[in-house]
Amino acid sequence: FMKIDHIGYAVRNIDKAKKSFETLGYVFEETIEDRDRNIYIAFGEMDGYRIELVAPISEESPVDMHLSKIGPTPYHICYKSDNIEADIESLTANRYKVLIPLAPAIAFGNKRVVFMYSLAVGLIEIVEEYEMN
């Protein structure tokens, strides 16, 4: 079974969102600019729980459409995998569809991530096992 890594939140302004979450007690790492995905990312942690704030760099961002329809909200759960190809295969056999194919992600030291979707649970992200800083 995969372990939960973080909950992803789509937000419009990463700095304002960080301040609001810091009020709740979260401590954030430096903001990452992921030009490949057209997003800003900031990881925060509180009591062992990690969140990922994801904000669009421009309107072509993958979270921009989500924000325009729903607004700021949690939108994915990310799981760590020690065998990502096997997990993708297993999930595909169980009616998950790959939305964003397996590719390296700067936010995880270029470990590969994949986004998959299920009509029953929505969007999930899977990241190869990695070491946190």
Side-chain angles (χ1 to χ4, degrees):
F1 292 101
M2 296 181 284
K3 293 182 181 162
I4 292 176
D5 184 68
H6 67 264
I7 307 290
Y9 281 78
V11 300
R12 292 186 202 292
N13 181 303
I14 202 129
D15 293 323
K16 287 181 182 175
K18 278 171 79 170
K19 285 187 179 107
S20 290
F21 275 104
E22 285 168 347
T23 301
L24 296 171
Y26 284 88
V27 176
F28 283 88
E29 300 170 11
E30 290 296 311
T31 298
I32 298 165
E33 186 175 308
D34 187 338
R35 286 272 169 202
D36 291 338
R37 289 178 173 80
N38 204 17
I39 52 176
Y40 295 110
I41 298 167
F43 287 101
E45 187 168 340
M46 179 175 65
D47 297 331
Y49 291 96
R50 279 173 35 97
I51 61 171
E52 176 192 38
L53 304 181
V54 183
I57 291 176
S58 70
E59 290 180 6
E60 290 78 42
S61 164
V63 296
D64 190 63
M65 186 169 62
H66 184 86
L67 285 166
S68 64
K69 287 181 179 177
I70 301 172
T73 183
Y75 77 106
H76 76 261
I77 298 177
C78 178
Y79 298 90
K80 284 187 191 180
S81 170
D82 57 9
N83 189 339
I84 200 162
E85 287 90 356
D87 286 329
I88 291 169
E89 190 176 314
S90 172
L91 290 168
T92 300
N94 284 283
R95 304 181 68 132
Y96 280 78
K97 300 218 178 315
V98 173
L99 282 192
I100 301 175
L102 196 57
I106 191 170
F108 295 105
N110 288 322
K111 289 290 188 179
R112 295 175 302 163
V113 302
V114 63
F115 283 86
M116 300 184 78
Y117 187 83
S118 158
L119 287 173
V121 300
L123 186 67
I124 66 167
E125 177 183 20
I126 304 171
V127 60
E128 289 179 302
E129 193 71 43
Y130 67 96
E131 294 295 319
M132 291 188 347
N133 297 339

